[in-house]
Amino acid sequence: INKIIVDLPYRGKGIAEQLINRYLEACIEVGIPTSELKVLPANAPAIRLYERAGYYRTGDATLRDGKPRFVYQKDLKGGLV
């Protein structure tokens, strides 16, 4: 998944949370042990979403566009917790 974007009129309704949870369930179903993502430091709503979903910050990265990102991971070996 490259991006999760919820159209403005539908934000705040839990749609992104549902998408993340379904994605994580699918990862677990096929045996993926870890999920990793990168997020712009200024994207506070996305960071809150990821942290609520159980992701934790593991470091920083700079992608090809030159913009810094926070790196987050979630261990999936124990299922959704």
Side-chain angles (χ1 to χ4, degrees):
I1 296 176
N2 188 24
K3 293 182 182 183
I4 295 176
I5 301 171
V6 176
D7 201 17
L8 193 57
Y10 302 99
R11 292 182 188 172
K13 301 179 186 302
I15 295 170
E17 186 174 357
Q18 291 176 35
L19 289 169
I20 291 282
N21 287 337
R22 182 58 195 119
Y23 158 75
L24 293 171
E25 289 169 358
C27 288
I28 291 166
E29 287 172 12
V30 298
I32 296 172
T34 306
S35 174
E36 181 180 283
L37 59 86
K38 295 169 184 74
V39 61
L40 289 166
N43 194 345
I47 291 169
R48 283 192 301 274
L49 170 69
Y50 301 141
E51 289 178 348
R52 278 196 316 268
Y55 283 86
Y56 56 93
R57 188 171 166 199
T58 59
D60 301 307
T62 302
L63 302 187
R64 287 178 283 187
D65 63 8
K67 295 179 183 176
R69 304 294 201 286
F70 291 158
V71 180
Y72 278 79
Q73 282 190 334
K74 180 174 175 68
D75 180 14
L76 303 176
K77 291 184 284 269
L80 289 179
V81 179

